[in-house]
Amino acid sequence: MRKLLFLFLFLILLAACNSHQPFDISDAPNSRHKNVTKGPVPSEFFGDSQQVVPIDLRGEQFNRVSEWFDDESILYVIDEDSSSTIYRYQLFTGEKEVFLKMPDPVLTLEANEDHSLFLLHTANSENKAKLTVIDKQGNIKFEWEVSSFDLFYSWNPYHTNQIFVTSFLEDWSFQTHLLDISTQKTTKFEVFQPFIQWVNSNTISYLKWDQNELDFFAPLYSYHLDTKTEALLFENIISFMSYKNLLVTYELIQDKEPFAKVGFYHPEKNQKLHEFKMPLLSDYSKWYIPSANYVPEQKKFYSFKPYSTGAFDTYGEKFELISFDVRTGKEEIILEKVDDQPLNFSPNGILCLYGFQFEKIIDMRTKSITDLVIY
């Protein structure tokens, strides 16, 4: 049940800079008329053609592959009765070691921006949650318990020791908190939207949905944590994503068929970089936004893209995985006719965890998908 709640919150977030200045969108290049081609794979991707060795977990209570430890190793979770063990696994040698044992079940594990710290969410009861922050040596750097039925959290990519947390009670009322690992402090904030993302070092953003209406879009606001002031960034946004030095917005283009205008902005400079069009699928009272991820080292945004518009529940086609270079505006097809499932790229962008349990891996050197876990 708790895992389903996390998936539900994740989908809401998807359907859901100093940033108080309007963005300059006047002369941004538009890629909608450019030809999309399958470009060559960069030569640096090939390296020495190392092959990923699958993890054999037959007979184990596999939870999920959780996170990248570094460019060549991952962390995965095995459940053992009411506890969990986190293993570090080297993808090219097949070597594994116990990274950390937790007395309670691990629900999620997520790295900060530079992968120097890892946040673990565990729970041993329905109404209590515990957050534990560990470093790369497995040392506990911070622990915090809160009365909560569920949690949403977001690492600050600019100050990598900060986490913004929303704790939900069973009636879905919520409280927002800022955790600072370096100072060991927690601060409550009166932010009235639960699902936030960072747009700069001290500013968060959120879609301001009308709780009494089933709207297809909402205004995007920023909130300055120091001055506690709110500012309008965009009107009529259907979804957005925020990464370090990149804000991605989805706006509805209602032509003969609905499309999304996907805009890329530099939040610090208040400047639009590029945009491209994507077919939209309707999903009852909202628009379906495909899974996406950004690789800062490459300056590339990766997203699944439907082949046509329509209703999600009757959409019979697969998706293509595309990359979009936010520096040049070049769009490239990586994979064709694949399922839209969550993505998590390695820091250097060469490999990508793929699937609802990250049980598969995409090798960008060969543009191929293989099973990472045998179970």
Side-chain angles (χ1 to χ4, degrees), residues 6-50:
F6 272 96
L7 180 59
F8 175 72
L9 291 176
F10 176 71
L11 293 174
I12 290 177
L13 173 61
L14 288 182
C17 272
N18 262 351
S19 59
H20 283 54
Q21 300 296 322
F23 286 89
D24 178 11
I25 65 173
S26 55
D27 298 317
N30 187 329
S31 72
R32 70 184 67 183
H33 301 301
K34 293 184 179 180
N35 293 325
V36 180
T37 60
K38 286 189 175 182
V41 179
S43 59
E44 63 266 25
F45 275 7
F46 287 96
D48 55 3
S49 299
Q50 291 175 297

Side-chain angles (χ1 to χ4, degrees), residues 236-251:
N236 302 330
I237 300 298
I238 59 177
S239 186
F240 82 107
M241 302 173 190
S242 187
Y243 307 92
K244 187 175 183 180
N245 297 324
L246 184 69
L247 174 65
V248 185
T249 62
Y250 293 74
E251 298 179 67

Side-chain angles (χ1 to χ4, degrees), residues 206-228:
Y206 44 79
L207 287 172
K208 204 168 185 179
W209 296 100
D210 187 336
Q211 302 301 319
N212 299 315
E213 299 289 339
L214 291 175
D215 293 329
F216 279 91
F217 43 77
L220 178 62
Y221 278 84
S222 66
Y223 182 86
H224 197 288
L225 296 177
D226 295 336
T227 63
K228 298 179 174 56

Side-chain angles (χ1 to χ4, degrees), residues 148-186:
S148 176
F149 183 70
D150 220 332
L151 291 178
F152 169 81
Y153 54 83
S154 178
W155 278 103
N156 185 340
Y158 303 91
H159 291 320
T160 55
N161 284 291
Q162 291 184 342
I163 314 165
F164 201 89
V165 178
T166 303
S167 57
F168 293 91
L169 297 180
E170 197 162 0
D171 62 1
W172 294 111
S173 61
F174 62 89
Q175 174 67 56
T176 53
H177 321 256
L178 179 66
L179 313 186
D180 193 305
I181 313 307
S182 57
T183 63
Q184 301 285 299
K185 290 183 179 180
T186 64

